[in-house]
Amino acid sequence: MVAITACSLALLTSCNGTEKKQTSSKDTNTSTTMNTNNNSFEALFEPVPPADFRKQLSTLMLREDHAVITAGTASQFNSMAASWEALGHYFEKPMTLSLLGAGRYTLEFIKQERKYTMSFFPNQHKGDVMAFGSRSGRNSDKMKETKLSYIQTPAGNITYKESSVVIECQLFEVTTVHPDDFYTEDGKKFVEDALKDASDYHKLMFGAVTNIWVKK
């Protein structure tokens, strides 16, 4: 019933890497202490025409190595290093698919705002991206300590000026995976092992693509 064609798959660190530990405490990060400057979003990025979505979805993620998912508002938001993403069509819409740990702090912001960004960075920012995966925003100041500069899209979503590709998504569906859903032992083992670090199984998150932006 799920008709996703995985045009690309980007593997980084969020599902099975160090960010697995995002499970506790509270975050009080605000944008007023984050890195920023006066360049407008439109001065830095240009849109991909909607008619080109399908072609662009199959290439934009492939050209970048490091991804970040961000959700929230300008006064409070959180970012996580992203992995295990796919792009394709679902319900006849351009759609992203992400596999997230149930305890991800960023997932709480996504569910609250029902929108988020997927931002892709060139290799020179690998360290900055990995820093989003090393600690939870619940119990650290990682959002204040990043060297990346946040910026709002015209739709009010949060991304970073150093991004080379930004995909804005509207939350479409969140489902819970279960070992019984898998027909391979490695799939079952993955979700069973992950349950040891969270109170629930991993989540499959579908986001309808609303805009794609590329750095000028």
Side-chain angles (χ1 to χ4, degrees):
M1 189 167 64
V2 176
I4 279 281
T5 300
C7 299
S8 60
L9 188 65
L11 301 179
L12 297 179
T13 59
S14 75
C15 284
N16 206 20
T18 52
E19 193 170 332
K20 268 167 64 172
K21 299 179 182 177
Q22 296 188 5
T23 55
S24 62
S25 188
K26 280 200 170 183
D27 185 28
T28 56
N29 296 324
T30 62
S31 66
T32 55
T33 58
M34 298 281 296
N35 297 322
T36 186
N37 58 51
N38 294 324
N39 291 338
S40 69
F41 184 85
E42 292 91 338
L44 297 172
F45 297 89
E46 58 186 359
V48 172
D52 292 341
F53 266 179
R54 187 162 191 170
K55 180 178 70 175
Q56 295 292 344
L57 283 174
S58 66
T59 60
L60 288 174
M61 282 181 70
L62 289 175
R63 81 183 195 187
E64 305 301 339
D65 295 325
H66 312 292
V68 167
I69 295 176
T70 304
T73 64
S75 61
Q76 188 176 14
F77 55 93
N78 201 69
S79 297
M80 61 177 284
S83 70
W84 297 24
E85 269 69 52
L87 292 168
H89 275 71
Y90 181 50
F91 278 78
E92 299 182 354
K93 300 175 184 289
M95 197 79 65
T96 65
L97 181 152
S98 305
L99 183 64
L100 306 180
R104 291 292 178 264
Y105 189 40
T106 303
L107 184 57
E108 295 181 19
F109 285 86
I110 292 171
K111 288 181 175 179
Q112 178 178 315
E113 300 299 326
R114 300 191 180 183
K115 59 182 183 178
Y116 57 97
T117 60
M118 294 175 62
S119 306
F120 298 86
F121 297 82
N123 193 59
Q124 69 192 77
H125 295 294
K126 178 180 179 180
D128 299 312
V129 171
M130 294 300 104
F132 285 140
S134 62
R135 292 179 294 165
S136 171
R138 293 177 188 271
N139 52 14
S140 76
D141 289 332
K142 72 172 188 177
M143 298 305 299
K144 298 177 182 179
E145 296 168 358
T146 182
K147 297 177 182 179
L148 300 175
S149 302
Y150 88 94
I151 192 170
Q152 282 187 279
T153 71
N157 291 308
I158 306 298
T159 184
Y160 296 91
K161 295 177 180 180
E162 294 82 1
S163 307
S164 52
V165 177
V166 178
I167 302 177
E168 295 186 89
C169 300
Q170 185 75 35
L171 183 61
F172 189 80
E173 178 184 353
V174 177
T175 62
T176 302
V177 302
H178 190 276
D180 292 344
D181 297 332
F182 291 84
Y183 289 84
T184 63
E185 290 304 315
D186 57 341
K188 291 180 180 181
K189 185 178 186 304
F190 174 83
V191 294
E192 288 172 345
D193 288 348
L195 185 62
K196 300 173 184 177
D197 297 300
S199 59
D200 199 359
Y201 291 113
H202 269 62
K203 306 298 181 181
L204 276 176
M205 181 176 72
F206 294 83
V209 175
T210 55
N211 294 291
I212 297 178
W213 303 87
V214 297
K215 182 67 70 65
K216 291 183 177 180

